[in-house]
């Protein structure tokens, strides 16, 4: 299943129309046809420029209106020719890719800076990333048949990826399905990274340009060769490095803005993290971000540093005057739309920023050294913590338990206070409800206006809603209080751990006493030997001297044996301490996993509830729209009937007037006999009465329609 090739920016043709000027070195390596094509592009650019200037100069004069029309028509024809020439140029670049990469690299770079036409983006991105023939492409269909542990996370975040774009809009749409396939396949290929939230926006942009298999290959190449894999690892060490390097650029090139950010505690990670993780795809409009992505495919993360610094430099005067909240609003609402109509302006400013790759490498080494020292210090702290005696661990455990109990008591007190407030509000709401019911009873006995009764009914509904909200809050407080109370199983586990720690402490004390007894015994033996063989060894016989030497060696051997036993027992004690510490950490991890599972279940429940409410809301909106349409149709039908009735009434009145005229003429002529004339007059009167009856009937039928 392949996704259609979509254009995220309708203005990419316009941005690619201005051809770059080739340098002398590049012009020597170009063929005559290519030189002729570039000359045509430059000539068309000059004509366009002249036409735009002439149009601006003639817009104020009415006499030259005809010539301005001719100029605009010539500009449109030049534009179409220039588009055609641009297509020919990029088609030649794609067909002769290897030659352009080797011999015309500088010219290719300038063309990419001007923007790749969206119809060529799919193949050019694959060529830039060297992702045209990858072995992993053949594994894609097999990966889709497998199951990934990240599927739930991917499904949850898909709806948040480009929610306003037509390709990804709507649940279970084609865009969401192919995005899920690519993210799932990569989570199986690279299990260390798995799935990270920001990567879906990059894959979504790729799917707008190419089928899912090719998008998967390009994404794999981006993760492997463009430092994105280090950015999306669980530790996110590469993101910390990028923030460190960006802070250096900010401090060096915009010192006043850097001081203002520090004074307002506006950290770099608060606004720049998404720039590196999503490559400006969530910060800038899609056409501008796609232009930046064109350059990223050629140069890597350097363009992200440049564009970020250009944005800050452009907004420096405004940001210095704002506080922390104002700066956050400025980053969210003002900055993203500053370059909608002119992405070339942003890219031009980006390449005016000073960027030294050697200095960035040096900063990378400094950051790595700093992080290694930090890790060594943490390891030393852990080791020193592990060498604590059993008694110290027990004391630390007791202190920790006291702190936990104090926190639980404080939270229980806060919950009790909130519970009391909620109960008080509930009682006041119930009292107001009773008063409203009494008022309704009084109203039922008396006769009031309809408006007054409706206002009282709305007040009653509001009080009932308030009561329901208070009851819900009360129930939530009770649940929270019950969840904070200690569980019996947790208490039993803590008691077992306490018993184990006490047993280990007794064992260590016993070993310590045995070592003390051994040391005292050896000291006594040594003193006895030293006193027995005091002075005068040279007077003793050789046998006694040999015996004394053997006793000395024996004592030294016993001392070494005692020392070895002491070291062995010390090692055993350390092993016991590490085992106990490992058990404690294991139980802590299991508890945290249980808590995280409970939180995940709660999040899933809330998500499902939110989806249900959204479905209900959409259903209500649909019914409301249907009812509005029906009411409008009924009103139109009533108005049409009213118009028909009015027309019929006008016709009837006209007929009556004609009959009355005929009656008057009959009277005046007097040609008929008296009887014939009277008979004729009676007939006319009967017709007039019938017409009047019809008019009255039509009026009566029109009155309810008008109402």
């Amino acid at each position: 299943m392949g996704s259609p090739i979509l254009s995220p920016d309708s203005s990419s043709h316009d941005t690619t129309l201005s051809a770059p000027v080739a340098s002398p070195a590049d012009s020597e390596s170009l063929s005559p046809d290519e030189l002729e094509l570039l000359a045509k592009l430059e000539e068309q650019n000059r004509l366009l420029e002249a036409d735009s200037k002439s149009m601006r100069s003639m817009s104020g004069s009415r006499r030259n209106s005809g010539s301005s029309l001719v100029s605009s028509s010539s500009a449109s024809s030049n534009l179409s020719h220039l588009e055609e020439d641009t297509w020919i140029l990029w088609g030649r670049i794609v067909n002769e890719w290897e030659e352009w990469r080797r011999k015309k690299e500088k010219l290719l770079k300038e063309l990419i800076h001007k923007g790749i036409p969206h119809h060529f983006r799919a193949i050019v991105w694959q060529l830039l990333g060297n992702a045209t023939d990858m072995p992993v492409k053949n594994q894609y269909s097999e990966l889709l048949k497998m199951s990934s542990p990240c599927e739930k996370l991917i499904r949850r975040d898909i709806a948040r990826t480009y929610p306003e774009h037509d390709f990804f809009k709507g649940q279970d749409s084609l865009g969401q399905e192919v995005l899920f396939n690519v993210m799932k396949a990569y989570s199986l290929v690279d299990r260390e990274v798995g799935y990270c939230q920001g990567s879906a926006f990059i894959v979504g942009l790729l799917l707008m340009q190419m089928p899912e298999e090719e998008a998967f290959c390009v994404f794999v190449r981006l993760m492997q060769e463009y430092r994105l894999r280090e950015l999306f690892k669980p530790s996110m060490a590469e993101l910390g490095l990028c923030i460190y390097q960006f802070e250096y650029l900010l401090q060096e090139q915009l010192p006043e803005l850097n001081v203002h950010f520090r004074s307002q505690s506006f950290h770099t990670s608060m606004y720049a993290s998404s720039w590196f993780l999503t490559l400006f795809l969530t910060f800038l409009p899609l056409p501008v971000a796609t232009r930046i992505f064109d350059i990223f495919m050629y140069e890597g993360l350097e363009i992200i540093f440049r564009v970020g610094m250009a944005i800050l430099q452009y907004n420096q005067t405004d940001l210095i005057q704002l506080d922390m909240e104002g700066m956050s609003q400025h980053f969210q609402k003002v900055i993203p739309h500053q370059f909608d109509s002119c992405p070339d302006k942003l890219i031009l400013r980006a390449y005016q920023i000073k960027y030294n790759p050697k200095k960035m490498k040096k900063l990378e080494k400094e950051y790595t050294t700093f992080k290694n020292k930090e890790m060594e210090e943490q390891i030393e702290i852990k080791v020193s913590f592990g060498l604590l005696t059993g008694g110290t661990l027990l004391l630390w455990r007791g202190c920790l338990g006291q702190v936990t109990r104090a926190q639980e008591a404080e939270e229980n007190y806060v919950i009790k206070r909130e519970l009391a407030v909620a109960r008080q509000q509930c009682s006041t709401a119930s009292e107001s409800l009773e008063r409203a019911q009494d008022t309704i009873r009084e109203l039922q006995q008396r006769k009031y206006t309809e408006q007054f009764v409706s206002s009282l009914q709305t007040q009653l509904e509001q009080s009932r809603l308030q009561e329901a909200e208070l009851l819900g809050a009360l129930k939530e407080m009770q649940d929270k209080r019950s969840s904070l109370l200690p569980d019996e199983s947790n208490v039993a586990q803590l008691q077992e751990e306490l018993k184990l720690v006490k047993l280990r402490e007794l064992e260590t004390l016993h070993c310590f006493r045995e070592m003390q007894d051994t040391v005292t015994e050896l000291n006594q033996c040594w003193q006895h030997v030293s006193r027995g063989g005091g002075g005068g060894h040279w007077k003793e016989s050789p046998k006694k001297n040999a015996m004394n030497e053997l006793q000395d060696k024996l004592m030294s051997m016993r001392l070494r044996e005692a020392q070895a036993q002491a070291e062995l027992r010390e090692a055993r004690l350390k092993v016991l301490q590490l085992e106990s510490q490992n058990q404690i950490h294991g139980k802590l991890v299991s508890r945290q996993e249980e808590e995280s599972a409970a939180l995940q279940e709660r999040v899933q429940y809330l998500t499902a509830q939110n989806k249900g409410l959204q479905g209900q809301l959409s259903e209500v909106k649909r019914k409301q729209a249907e009812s509005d349409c029906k009411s409008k149709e009924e009103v139109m039908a009533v108005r049409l009937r009213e118009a028909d009735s009015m027309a019929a009434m006008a016709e009837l009145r006209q007929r009556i007037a004609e009959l009355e005229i005929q009656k008057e003429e009959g009277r005046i002529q007097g040609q008929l006999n008296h009887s014939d004339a009277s008979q004729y007059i009676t007939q006319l009167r009967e017709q007039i009465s019938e017409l009047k009856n019809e008019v009255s009937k039509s009026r009566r039928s029109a009155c309810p329609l008008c109402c």
Side-chain angles (χ1 to χ4, degrees), residues 18-24 26-27 30 38 42 45-46 106-107 110-111 114:
S18 55
V21 179
S23 62
D26 292 328
S27 61
L30 293 175
L38 285 173
E42 291 173 9
N45 283 334
R46 285 196 295 273
K106 189 174 181 181
L107 182 60
E110 291 179 359
L111 286 169
K114 295 294 180 182

Side-chain angles (χ1 to χ4, degrees), residues 9 11 15 283-289 291 333-346:
D9 57 336
S11 64
T15 58
F283 183 73
L284 294 174
L286 201 53
V288 184
R291 289 285 305 279
K333 297 180 180 178
V334 179
I335 294 177
H337 303 288
Q338 287 177 338
F339 303 97
D340 286 355
S341 59
C342 51
D344 287 325
K345 183 179 177 182
L346 176 60

